[in-house]
Amino acid sequence: PFLGHEEDFDTYIGTNTSSRKAGQLIADGRSCVYYVDGPGFRGLTVVGDMSPIEDLGIKAALWREGWEAYYPLGPGDPDFAVFHFRALRARHYHGLRVTELDLGRQAGARP
């Protein structure tokens, strides 16, 4: 999920514009994403903020075949929302060990 962002853990997340979560993220972008490898007993919590993306070029680049079942108008469908997740810090869990990673960013600050 971090292709091209291995150093900063940023990612993009797509959802429905009409969803309750999209409205919540627009009102308050603070968020957390959790990745788990159950069989490996590993987890990664990434804390950051989300901001909506309106750039059709980014939406088109993220688009996957088959999504037209949900968004019939393609990447420009008004119900296709994309958010940029900007990571602030992360916590990795493996076995009984926890590793903290502060990415040195300020909440709400954008480059």
Side-chain angles (χ1 to χ4, degrees):
F2 305 115
L3 186 61
H5 289 278
E6 293 85 357
E7 298 296 319
D8 61 18
F9 296 101
D10 283 12
T11 192
Y12 292 90
I13 295 176
T15 190
N16 295 79
T17 304
S18 60
S19 72
R20 181 178 64 164
K21 183 53 71 182
Q24 291 170 336
L25 289 171
I26 290 168
D28 183 351
R30 294 177 296 170
S31 53
C32 174
V33 179
Y34 185 72
Y35 300 90
V36 65
D37 169 15
F41 299 100
R42 289 186 295 252
L44 178 69
T45 299
V46 186
V47 177
D49 54 39
M50 298 251 195
S51 58
I53 297 296
E54 300 299 331
D55 185 314
L56 188 55
I58 293 174
K59 288 182 170 188
L62 297 170
W63 185 259
R64 297 293 177 259
E65 185 177 328
W67 286 1
E68 54 278 340
Y70 306 101
Y71 311 106
L73 301 177
D77 193 307
D79 200 34
F80 180 49
V82 172
F83 290 87
H84 172 231
F85 177 73
R86 184 175 163 274
L88 300 173
R89 62 185 180 279
R91 177 180 273 186
H92 179 255
Y93 308 89
H94 185 236
L96 298 175
R97 186 174 277 166
V98 177
T99 305
E100 300 276 349
L101 178 62
D102 182 348
L103 298 173
R105 295 171 158 182
Q106 297 296 320
R110 293 275 164 189

